[in-house]
Amino acid sequence: MKYLIFISGLIGAFLLYLLSSASANTELFSHNYYTLLALAGILALCLSVLVGYQLWQLREKLKRQIFGAKLTLRLALFFSLIAILPGLLVYAVSVHFLGKSIESWFDVRVENALEGGLNLGRSSLENGLQDLVKKGKFIALVLSEQPLDRNKTTLNKMVNVGAVEEAALFDKKGKQLSVMSKTKLLPYLPDSKMLQQALTQGYYSVIDTLTDNTLVLRVLVPVNSVSPPGEIHFLQLAQPVSNQLAVDTEAVQSVYRDYQELSRSR
């Protein structure tokens, strides 16, 4: 019995340490939640078996009318009441606190507002990407109706009038033919998968993040050149996202991540 109580105490102390450590670390808690729950369940089962065995032994002693059995029963009932009644009180107060206090911190309207803000930022980026796709298809149509040596002049005009920030032309192998830009954006060299997708789907679009966390919209569109005839080139347009939109989108996304972590730790 001494060994069982000692081992149970050690396991209980270890579980309390794990619970306190996990509660302070949301990521650790979310990864080990079921492990903590299983360990606590195993300990509770072992203690229940131990208590049941003691009650069975006490019952046998009462049947045999062993001296001191009734006194042991009274002491067991007395100490059970001492343990159970305050426990029930603490349990009721805890449930009320969790139900009325912590739950009120997580308003559904707040979560919906954060999701709406996040979707609004994504929609703005998607709309900007779709507009850039339309510009790319229009410029590709213009380039397809003129000789290759005039493409550079056309791209230069498109950049100068402010239609796009950067325009680059590549051959079917991804080799750069010409590039025009009014910013310091370096032309992104497309790989074979991007070229194939642009050729199959009619365009390829992506939102890139530069090293300084600047968001850039990029579009790749095939160009059917007439000179030389049958030659396929690829037009790439790049447009940086406004700093305010990028900052607002990142702020909403960061707050939404923090809110989700708090919801998991609840």
Side-chain angles (χ1 to χ4, degrees):
M1 181 59 61
K2 293 180 179 179
Y3 289 123
L4 287 176
I5 295 177
F6 179 72
I7 294 174
S8 299
L10 287 180
I11 297 176
F14 179 66
L15 284 175
L16 286 175
Y17 168 74
L18 289 180
L19 183 60
S20 61
S21 300
S23 300
N25 189 333
T26 305
E27 184 177 0
L28 177 64
F29 182 79
S30 61
H31 291 166
N32 299 280
Y33 175 76
Y34 292 105
T35 302
L36 291 173
L37 192 62
L39 290 175
I42 292 173
L43 179 60
L45 180 62
C46 293
L47 292 177
S48 300
V49 172
L50 179 61
V51 172
Y53 176 73
Q54 292 295 316
L55 292 177
W56 180 79
Q57 278 193 334
L58 181 59
R59 178 173 175 271
E60 293 296 322
K61 290 179 181 179
L62 289 173
K63 280 185 177 182
R64 296 196 298 267
Q65 297 183 351
I66 297 178
F67 177 76
K70 291 184 179 181
L71 178 60
T72 303
L73 177 61
R74 291 176 183 176
L75 290 175
L77 293 175
F78 177 72
F79 284 110
S80 297
L81 290 176
I82 291 178
I84 292 176
L85 291 180
L88 290 176
L89 178 61
V90 172
Y91 173 77
V93 173
S94 300
V95 170
H96 178 77
F97 175 74
L98 293 174
K100 301 298 182 181
S101 300
I102 296 181
E103 289 296 331
S104 64
W105 302 343
F106 297 89
D107 195 342
V108 177
R109 293 174 298 176
V110 175
E111 186 171 3
N112 292 336
L114 289 175
E115 290 181 355
L118 192 61
N119 293 331
L120 183 61
R122 291 173 179 172
S123 299
S124 300
L125 295 178
E126 289 295 333
N127 292 335
L129 205 58
Q130 291 300 323
D131 291 339
L132 195 60
V133 169
K134 294 178 181 179
K135 290 181 182 179
K137 290 184 176 180
F138 173 75
I139 298 175
L141 183 61
V142 174
L143 296 179
S144 63
E145 297 177 352
Q146 63 184 18
L148 181 61
D149 55 0
R150 293 181 54 189
N151 289 344
K152 186 175 182 179
T153 304
T154 303
L155 294 180
N156 191 24
K157 289 181 180 179
M158 294 293 178
V159 172
N160 289 333
V161 298
V164 291
E165 294 290 326
E166 176 192 287
L169 196 63
F170 301 90
D171 62 9
K172 60 182 180 181
K173 295 182 179 180
K175 181 181 178 181
Q176 179 179 311
L177 300 178
S178 59
V179 58
M180 294 295 168
S181 176
K182 61 168 57 175
T183 64
K184 296 181 180 180
L185 296 176
L186 297 177
Y188 183 83
L189 299 179
D191 55 23
S192 58
K193 292 183 180 180
M194 298 178 184
L195 298 176
Q196 183 62 34
Q197 182 175 344
L199 188 61
T200 303
Q201 186 177 335
Y203 68 93
Y204 173 82
S205 60
V206 68
I207 302 176
D208 284 335
T209 304
L210 303 182
T211 55
D212 57 352
N213 293 328
T214 302
L215 298 179
V216 179
L217 308 178
R218 295 189 187 274
V219 169
L220 196 64
V221 181
V223 180
N224 296 319
S225 179
V226 296
S227 177
E231 185 73 19
I232 297 179
H233 297 149
F234 291 92
L235 172 67
Q236 178 178 268
L237 302 181
Q239 187 81 19
V241 179
S242 64
N243 292 332
Q244 188 62 42
L245 178 59
V247 169
D248 292 343
T249 303
E250 178 61 28
V252 173
Q253 189 171 3
S254 177
V255 173
Y256 184 75
R257 285 196 302 263
D258 294 341
Y259 188 84
Q260 291 299 317
E261 289 182 1
L262 289 176
S263 297
R264 287 196 300 268
S265 66
R266 173 177 49 180

